[in-house]
Every structure is written in C-alpha cells, then in structure tokens.
Amino acid sequence: MSELPWLEGNQPSNGTGSRVGNRLLALVLILFVLLGVIYSVATPIFEASDERWHYPVVKHIADGQGLPLQDPNLPTPWHQEGSQPPLYYLLSAGLTAWINTGDFDDVQRPNPHAIVGLPQVVGNKNMMIHTDRESWPWRGTTLAVHLIRLVSVGLGAITVWLTWHIARCLWPRNDQAASLAAILIAFNPMFLFISASVNNDNLAAALAAGAVVVLLHALLRGQTVRDGLLLGVLLGLGALTKLGVLALLPVTAVGLTYDAWRRRTWRTWLINGVLILGCMALLAGWWYWRNWTLHGDPTGSNRMLDIAGRRDEPLTLGGLWAEFEGFRISYWALFGGVSILADRWVYPILDVLMLIGGIGVVVAGVEIVKSANQQINKSTNQQISEATAQRGDRARKRSSFSFSYFLLPTSYFVLIGWVGLTFILLIRWTSQTYASQGRLMFVAIAGISALVATGLVILTPKRWRWAMVAVVGGGLLLLAVVSPFRYIIPAYARPPLLRETDLPVDVQRVDWDINGEMRLLGYRLERPSVHPAETLLLTVYWQALAPMAEDYSVFVHLLGQDRDVVGQVNTYPGLGTWPTTSLKPGDVVADTYHVPVDPAARSPSLARVYAGLYRYDEPGRPGLATVDAREEPVEPWL
C-alpha cells in the first residue's frame, strides 16, 4: 500500500478542500436538494416508511394536545411512534401549527388490502387511499406533510455536508474520499426517500453527524471545553430525537478518555464529562424521567414493543441471516411500505460496491496498526536513546510510556466503533421485534459513507481515483434520478379509466349487476390452465352504474376439488387505487389479478373462478347480491 491517510499528518481539517472539492460538494448538495423535492412530490403522503404514524404525533402536538400517551390496549393513529423521543415532532408541530388540518381523517384513509413487506406481490402498494384532495395547490393536511418533508430534505442536506467533513477528518488533504463520501449518502435512493418524508431519522442523522464532526476535531487537535459544550448540546438534542443517537455516548466517552490519556489533559476531560452529561440531562432528562414515571421504563422501549409487536420466537443466527437480504436492499432501495423494489440486478452491484469498500476498511485497519506501530517504535527508540543518554534507565521507561499511544489514528476507530455499536444495537432491537431494515442504520449513515468511501479510495490506484469517483457517483446519481419515475410513481399510479366501448373484442361478456351499483362486464383468462405454485392471470372489467357511498372490495377465488380455495385475491378496484367511491357512472376499470395457486393444490382437477364484491367490514364478508341481464340471481362463476 503506497500511502495511508492517517500518515499524512495528524492535523485536523480546516473545513475546506481544494477548489475542485468545494465545487463538487456544492454540486452534490444542489442535486441532493433537487432530488429530495422530486422524491417528496413523487411519493403520495403517508406512503413513505412509517410516515403514516410519524405525522399523527406531529398533529397531536400541533393541535395543542401535548405529547401522546401510549397504551397497548388503545389503538392510536400514531401506533408505536408515540414512544419516540419528541424533538423532531415538536419542531414539526411548531412549523405547521398554523395550518388547519381538520381534513386529516378524510386524507388518511387506510387501504385495508395494502400489501406491506411483500414486494413480490402485484398491486396494493398503496397503504392509503388517495384522492384529489392531495392535488396541487396543497392545503390542509397535505400542505402540512409536504412542508415538513421540505424541511426534512434540508436536514438531509446538512447530513450530506457533515459527512463530507467527517471524511476530511479521516483524510484531510484528499478530495476524492470526501467527495465520494458525500456522493454515497446524497445519491443513495433510500436516504433520499427517507429524507423526503416525515421521519425523525432525518434530524437524528444530522445531529449524530454533527456530534461526530466535533468529536473528531477534538481528537485531532486536542479537546477543549468548547468541544465538551458542543458535544453535550448535540448529544442532548440527539437523545431527545432518537434512541439510536445514544450509541455515540460510549464512543465519545472512550475517545475523549483516550485523548486525555495521551495528552495528559485530565482537567479538561473532567470538565467536558460534566458538561456533556449535564447538557444531556438538562435537554433530554425530562423525557426519560417522564417515561420512567409513566411506564417504569426510561426509554419507553418496552411500551413501543408492546404496541409494535414482539417476535413470536427467539431470533437465531439462521433467522438473522435469512432476514439479511431485506436488510441489505432496504439500505439502498426498498420504497413504500417495504413493498417497492428496484430492478433485481441493481442490488448485486451495490453489494459489490459495499463489499469492496468494506474490504478497504479492513485493510486500512490492519495497515493502520502496522504503520502506527512502526512509527511508535521509531519515535520511541529515538526518545529512548535521547533519554537514556541524559537520564538513564528511569527516563527510558517514562519516555516509552509517554509516546506509546500518541500516534494511534483514533478518528478511524471512532467511526468504526460508532457504526459497529449502532449495528449491534439494531440487532438487539431486531431480536425483540421485526425490524431488519437497513434504513434503520441511517442514524450512522454519515460514518458508514465516510468509511466506505475511504476504503474504496485506498484500494484504488492514485491515478484512477477521480475516475472511480466519477463512475460510482455517476451510477448512483443515475439510480437516484431514475428511481422516482421507474419505481415509485408507477407503483401508485391509477390505471386509466375506460368506457364500455373500449373493451377488447375477446372479452368473455357476462354483464352481471352487483347490488345495483356495479357491473361485472366480462373477463379474460391469459391461459386456460395453471399448475400448483404458478400464478393465474385474470383480467376482469368492472363498470360503475351509480355513485357509491361505500368502498366495496373485490374478491377473486380460485376453487379446486371439493370447492377448496386454492388461490385468492382481495382488493379494491384498480388493484387498490380506485375505491368505488371515486368512480362515476359509466367508468370502467380493467383489473389484471395475479392469483397465486397453492403449491399444495390437488391436480389435475377442474378449477373454477369465483368473483364479486363484498363489504370489508361486514361480519362474515358475504358477497353482494349478483343478478344477470334478466335480473335473475346468479352465482358469480367465471
């Protein structure tokens, strides 16, 4: 290895790079904000990860009802998110308190057939029912959500900027590493998706990255009382935003203690310890005391688990490995309710990128220790020689002790400790509930991006580094630009409405009237036979006959031998996007249902398709009355 960043001098970055590096950072930040706005507009409200639960906390506070109370036996619109530390919600409530959000119940209409966590299932990606109330110009709840989203994009931009500074602390005079670190976070489609949503991760990531920048500068030049005060404020605000930020507390304690040990500045260390703990207690202590008083648990985690749901069985290593795929892909691109994938070929490329960066991190760690030891030995031998000549063996021992730790590159291992501890805490949380999502590492994404960027640059020959940054950056930028238009918008797009004259000539007409409000015009089968574990493709044409005051659900059942159900689909028309209350008389919806056939279905046998409408909330969910063109009751066999 020809060069190592930690051997270029243990001096902190002055916060600036070369003209090229600064211009590239400015370009990355501008593109990030523009993309963030695009993601915000492309994603219907309450469709981003957990946004449907984060925003109700904001509304509850903005309506003057104080912080939400958590009761596992009392359903609430904020679900488990009411157990989160409140700073992000308090700030968002202050931002939007002037907006009349009395239309919240009309806008937040859950789709009872939403498919959450199963990206391979076709349709019903929308967790909510969306109407023209969300159209421009925004008003009411829609305006409040988009305003918070815009501020969250700004918080994401701050995190990108701080990531650049973290990378410069690792490698002060290397523009490629800093630029690549900013690129890895700014053009991560999932980070853009979360940044363009109502989510407390956005504030937590920025506060954590800010605290790390202060800590790294303190370690590089020697801690000051000002550092302790800044760390106390940032960690205190972080502890009031998300529990994951607390992973920085032991990392900070170890880093500052090591710095005091090597520089013999114990007085400053003691003052900083008091400042950090005092600021955290002052800023966030009331929240943890509130939890202790209300729930007997200072973090509120047990109450959150009671509401979110605990695992049915202990998580094993095999189970953890089985969930690792979801963890990986949700770090980069798994949109909506963990139900919208990018193209499958994208993920192996990103895996290779992270693997190479990870290898670079490991190689660098090994080289750090080897190179540091070499310099320690060289410096120690020189000092020993001088000390021995002047004061003898006693000075020899003192000199060896004084210099033995001085040149260790603490910044690098601070980041590794931060990311590693955050990952361990996430595994701990995952062992208690179903939370194997890579996006939950975003509280430490600044550290991840800085380390991976450093690893990639270290493994790249010097003359090819800018080319590597261009290739990686260009590829990620392309993915970030394409994702809203290729994956997100189509997932929520309503199929176009037809007229009866638009039906294909090969439609099998049945013309059944259902409850006097809808008509099943006809259907088309893609093929007449299927095998167990295959999928039956069936297109059904529905027509509205009258305005409807209820949202009826569609059922499609595939019945095999002895009328056993061997496949079924339940949905609103338009695969979840056209509730019947949105249809006007004469509107025709063409739905193609992907009916999965039970692998255990007995074959060969004659299967029949049974289709109709029902009321989702009606006990037993019986099908609505169906009549043929002669107004005779019929069994809706297709």
Side-chain angles (χ1 to χ4, degrees):
M1 183 166 295
S2 59
E3 61 174 315
L4 296 171
W6 45 90
L7 298 183
E8 293 185 359
N10 213 19
Q11 299 298 319
S13 168
N14 61 6
T16 62
S18 68
R19 182 177 299 178
V20 172
N22 290 336
R23 288 180 176 177
L24 184 55
L25 173 63
L27 177 62
V28 169
L29 288 171
I30 291 171
L31 289 174
F32 175 82
V33 172
L34 292 176
L35 285 169
V37 172
I38 292 173
Y39 276 72
S40 176
V41 174
T43 308
I45 64 172
F46 305 135
E47 294 294 351
S49 303
D50 295 341
E51 185 177 70
R52 56 180 170 157
W53 296 325
H54 285 293
Y55 176 74
V57 181
V58 176
K59 176 175 169 55
H60 190 268
I61 298 171
D63 288 347
Q65 301 181 61
L67 298 176
L69 297 174
Q70 293 294 84
D71 184 349
N73 300 315
L74 179 64
T76 61
W78 48 79
H79 206 52
Q80 80 270 11
E81 303 303 343
S83 300
Q84 295 267 21
L87 181 58
Y88 178 81
Y89 308 115
L90 290 169
L91 296 175
S92 299
L95 178 70
T96 58
W98 58 276
I99 301 174
N100 182 357
T101 57
D103 61 346
F104 175 74
D105 290 334
D106 295 326
V107 174
Q108 203 227 36
R109 295 170 54 195
N111 173 13
H113 304 290
I115 304 298
V116 177
L118 297 173
Q120 70 275 14
V121 177
V122 177
N124 283 287
K125 305 297 185 183
N126 54 306
M127 295 181 287
M128 297 291 154
I129 299 301
H130 302 286
T131 66
D132 292 338
R133 298 184 70 96
E134 300 176 30
S135 302
W136 180 265
W138 298 323
R139 60 195 185 279
T141 299
T142 303
L143 174 61
V145 170
H146 279 289
L147 185 57
I148 299 170
R149 284 182 171 186
L150 184 61
V151 173
S152 293
V153 170
L155 292 173
I158 291 173
T159 306
V160 173
W161 178 71
L162 290 169
T163 301
W164 184 85
H165 280 274
I166 290 172
R168 288 196 64 79
C169 287
L170 284 184
W171 204 330
R173 289 183 289 277
N174 188 286
D175 287 325
Q176 295 103 326
S179 300
L180 184 57
I183 286 169
L184 286 173
I185 182 173
F187 302 150
N188 177 332
M190 196 66 186
F191 184 74
L192 278 160
F193 182 70
I194 295 299
S195 295
S197 72
V198 180
N199 195 305
N200 63 341
D201 284 350
N202 298 312
L203 180 57
L207 289 170
V212 170
V213 170
V214 174
L215 176 61
L216 294 183
H217 277 273
L219 296 178
L220 288 170
R221 55 162 161 69
Q223 60 187 295
T224 65
V225 173
R226 179 175 177 271
D227 295 325
L229 181 60
L230 286 175
L231 284 169
V233 171
L234 290 170
L235 291 175
L237 294 176
L240 196 57
T241 303
K242 193 177 182 68
L243 294 178
V245 179
L246 292 176
L248 270 175
L249 187 57
V251 174
T252 300
V254 171
L256 294 182
T257 302
Y258 170 75
D259 180 71
W261 186 8
R262 72 179 188 175
R263 300 181 191 273
R264 299 298 185 268
T265 55
W266 292 108
R267 182 175 179 273
T268 304
W269 171 83
L270 181 60
I271 294 173
N272 284 341
V274 172
L275 283 173
I276 291 171
L277 294 178
C279 288
M280 293 184 68
L282 182 65
L283 292 170
W286 65 270
W287 165 255
Y288 293 90
W289 176 254
R290 176 182 182 269
N291 284 332
W292 178 264
T293 303
L294 291 176
H295 313 308
D297 171 17
T299 66
S301 298
N302 286 325
R303 191 54 55 97
M304 181 181 285
L305 287 169
D306 291 338
I307 296 172
R310 299 175 185 267
R311 283 188 178 270
D312 297 328
E313 54 188 25
L315 180 65
T316 63
L317 286 177
L320 188 64
W321 178 253
E323 296 179 13
F324 184 62
E325 179 181 10
F327 177 87
R328 287 171 23 247
I329 64 179
S330 64
Y331 180 86
W332 287 106
L334 183 56
F335 310 112
V338 287
S339 58
I340 303 173
L341 288 167
D343 292 295
R344 285 287 185 178
W345 58 265
V346 169
Y347 300 106
I349 296 175
L350 296 173
D351 288 342
V352 170
L353 179 71
M354 294 295 281
L355 179 61
I356 295 174
I359 292 172
V361 170
V362 173
V363 170
V366 173
E367 292 295 326
I368 281 175
V369 176
K370 289 170 58 178
S371 300
N373 284 336
Q374 290 173 2
Q375 292 208 11
I376 289 170
N377 291 335
K378 181 179 178 181
S379 178
T380 301
N381 290 336
Q382 181 179 353
Q383 294 295 325
I384 289 172
S385 179
E386 295 174 359
T388 301
Q390 296 176 12
R391 294 183 296 274
D393 291 341
R394 184 177 178 184
R396 171 189 178 116
K397 294 178 181 178
R398 273 202 311 270
S399 180
S400 177
F401 177 81
S402 299
F403 286 89
S404 61
Y405 292 97
F406 186 75
L407 293 176
L408 285 178
T410 54
S411 299
Y412 197 79
F413 291 110
V414 161
L415 292 189
I416 292 176
W418 175 32
V419 173
L421 186 55
T422 301
F423 183 64
I424 291 171
L425 292 176
L426 177 56
I427 292 178
R428 168 64 178 165
W429 182 248
T430 299
S431 70
Q432 300 175 78
T433 188
Y434 298 95
S436 300
Q437 296 187 47
R439 70 174 182 85
L440 297 180
M441 288 292 296
F442 283 177
V443 68
I445 191 173
I448 297 171
S449 300
L451 285 171
V452 172
T454 301
L456 289 170
V457 171
I458 285 173
L459 293 182
T460 303
K462 194 170 184 178
R463 66 181 180 277
W464 296 109
R465 285 176 179 171
W466 276 120
M468 182 272 294
V469 171
V471 170
V472 173
L476 285 177
L477 176 60
L478 180 62
L479 179 61
V481 171
V482 165
S483 291
F485 304 101
R486 180 170 175 80
Y487 310 123
I488 298 174
I489 293 177
Y492 301 110
R494 287 174 162 179
L497 295 174
L498 309 176
R499 309 303 296 179
E500 188 172 354
T501 54
D502 298 327
L503 266 63
V505 294
D506 59 342
V507 169
Q508 299 292 318
R509 295 293 296 257
V510 293
D511 294 310
W512 293 333
D513 287 2
I514 303 175
N515 210 44
E517 296 175 291
M518 285 281 283
R519 176 174 293 160
L520 198 164
L521 294 173
Y523 66 94
R524 296 171 61 201
L525 275 173
E526 293 296 322
R527 54 189 177 125
S529 63
V530 291
H531 295 90
E534 291 186 342
T535 299
L536 173 70
L537 296 183
L538 169 71
T539 301
V540 178
Y541 298 84
W542 304 94
Q543 183 181 46
L545 300 178
M548 285 168 273
E550 295 182 80
D551 287 325
Y552 298 122
S553 294
V554 173
F555 69 86
V556 177
H557 292 170
L558 182 62
L559 305 183
Q561 293 184 21
D562 302 324
R563 296 174 64 95
D564 291 336
V565 177
V566 297
Q568 64 177 313
V569 168
N570 295 275
T571 180
Y572 281 163
L575 295 180
T577 62
W578 278 114
T580 54
T581 54
S582 299
L583 299 175
K584 299 176 182 178
D587 289 342
V588 175
V589 178
D591 267 356
T592 299
Y593 305 113
H594 292 66
V595 185
V597 182
D598 189 343
R602 289 176 290 174
S603 63
S605 65
L606 177 64
R608 301 196 66 178
V609 177
Y610 193 58
L613 300 179
Y614 68 97
R615 294 182 176 89
Y616 183 83
D617 293 326
E618 186 173 352
R621 300 176 180 174
L624 300 181
T626 304
V627 299
D628 60 17
R630 296 173 299 177
E631 297 189 355
E632 295 289 334
V634 296
E635 287 287 324
W637 300 103
L638 299 183

